[in-house]
Amino acid sequence: MSFDLTFECVLDLRCEVAESPVYDERRNCLFFVDIGRSTLHRADLSGANHVEWRLEGGACSLGLARSGRLVLAQRDGVVLFDPESGAIARQIAAIEPERPDTRLNDGKVGPEGAFWVGTMHEVATDRRPIASLYRLTQTGAVERKVENIVCSNGLAWSADGAVLFHSDSRGPWIDRWQFDPATGELSGRRRLVNLDEATGRPDGAATDVDGNYWSAGVSAGVLNRFSPEGRLIKAHPFPVPAPTMPCFAGPDRKTLFVTSLRPADSAKESRAGGIFVARSPVAGAVVHRFDDRLL
């Protein structure tokens, strides 16, 4: 399907690194984080009723929980956050707390109800493949699933839950795995595509009901839409230089939100770091919830 997207800035927040937008269908609102300012945000889909929480331990990515709370990845641990009280309800697990050179990055809830989150080597230069992708189970157990990553990113599942997409922003590559939605087991790893700065290093991502993978090309100012087999269907131009992650929202899941970051030379574009929205003719895959009944 060939189509164009028209983006508008719905929240001109000028975030340092806005990331991890998640649509909460119960509240009909959007949650997202600003990693650079250690803040968690909530807003209506219109951009109204914006609320911001600053968190001492950082805010790197998030997912929805069955209880209505949020599962939130901080710098080196995962917590449950209650948006009704505006406070952390409890700590769930620590991940790589002994490593000052890594932090948690992209995270999402899988079809089996576990929270998947990766780390990244957080240094200015000489980034090395010392990061990993983890699975946090419903009991709080932490399982390392993939190793030898520089910057874990791009988590998204196919609509039927049978495929997991995952990227390394500094690889830069996107892989796909066969995924068992009952057990969370991975198999059959395959390289979907290798990328570069010009085509767009892969940042956050989402999938649609047709099986396509939408990847924020953070280095190229585009939203890349790939087929399930890795063919670039279209590079959708983005209004600001560095989109970070797409998210399908709304009752029909055809409202596409995309977060962005604010580069050092952001004076060239005042809306950099804002939250953008467009209408999509194709719906996004269903968002899953973390099973926190045992916590």
Side-chain angles (χ1 to χ4, degrees):
M1 182 189 297
S2 178
F3 54 83
D4 296 321
L5 296 173
T6 302
F7 288 99
E8 297 180 0
C9 185
V10 68
L11 277 167
D12 187 7
L13 297 178
R14 309 192 182 189
C15 298
E16 289 187 19
V17 186
E19 276 278 12
S20 197
V22 177
Y23 173 61
D24 185 338
E25 83 287 356
R26 295 181 189 171
R27 298 180 175 97
N28 195 34
C29 73
L30 191 74
F31 289 100
F32 60 95
V33 300
D34 181 352
I35 298 175
R37 294 184 178 136
S38 298
T39 52
L40 170 65
H41 298 255
R42 168 183 170 169
D44 293 347
L45 301 191
S46 66
N49 298 315
H50 172 242
V51 180
E52 174 183 324
W53 298 278
R54 185 172 295 275
L55 300 168
E56 184 177 344
C60 300
S61 59
L62 66 100
L64 306 176
R66 289 190 179 183
S67 66
R69 298 177 293 189
L70 306 178
V71 53
L72 176 71
Q74 298 195 283
R75 181 178 179 85
D76 57 10
V78 181
V79 302
L80 282 174
F81 181 87
D82 183 359
E84 302 308 321
S85 66
I88 292 173
R90 63 160 296 165
Q91 308 283 330
I92 303 177
I95 299 178
E96 297 186 9
E98 75 286 354
R99 298 209 61 134
D101 57 348
T102 66
R103 70 160 173 83
L104 292 178
N105 195 45
D106 183 53
K108 277 189 179 177
V109 180
E112 86 288 23
F115 185 60
W116 292 69
V117 63
T119 56
M120 61 176 285
H121 189 202
E122 191 183 39
V123 295
T125 59
D126 190 30
R127 296 183 176 92
R128 294 178 287 117
I130 63 171
S132 300
L133 174 64
Y134 294 90
R135 177 177 182 262
L136 176 63
T137 71
Q138 295 88 331
T139 61
V142 178
E143 305 169 350
R144 181 184 276 115
K145 305 298 285 189
V146 185
E147 299 182 81
N148 301 315
I149 302 164
V150 182
C151 180
S152 181
N153 227 321
L155 288 168
W157 283 263
S158 58
D160 63 2
V163 176
L164 167 65
F165 297 94
H166 177 232
S167 71
D168 185 339
S169 292
R170 294 291 175 179
W173 46 255
I174 302 169
D175 281 355
R176 58 173 286 169
W177 298 77
Q178 293 304 118
F179 185 85
D180 187 333
T183 65
E185 289 301 312
L186 299 176
S187 62
R189 183 179 191 174
R190 184 168 70 79
R191 183 59 40 88
L192 191 74
V193 63
N194 288 296
L195 295 161
D196 55 30
E197 296 290 314
T199 52
R201 280 190 294 105
D203 205 307
T207 52
D208 65 34
V209 294
D210 291 338
N212 300 312
Y213 179 79
W214 299 64
S215 172
V218 68
S219 61
V222 295
L223 185 61
N224 286 319
R225 181 161 50 103
F226 294 99
S227 75
E229 301 305 318
R231 177 178 64 87
L232 180 59
I233 299 172
K234 182 160 184 155
H236 296 274
F238 199 66
V240 296
T244 54
M245 185 173 173
C247 161
F248 290 93
D252 60 359
R253 302 195 307 277
K254 289 185 177 182
T255 301
L256 182 66
F257 286 91
V258 184
T259 51
S260 66
L261 61 79
R262 193 163 180 79
D265 60 350
S266 57
K268 297 178 181 177
E269 172 52 75
S270 63
R271 298 171 300 167
I275 314 302
F276 292 80
V277 66
R279 283 294 291 173
S280 167
V282 61
V286 172
V287 175
H288 304 287
R289 287 182 177 265
F290 181 67
D291 188 353
D292 59 341
R293 290 174 296 180
L294 301 178
L295 296 171

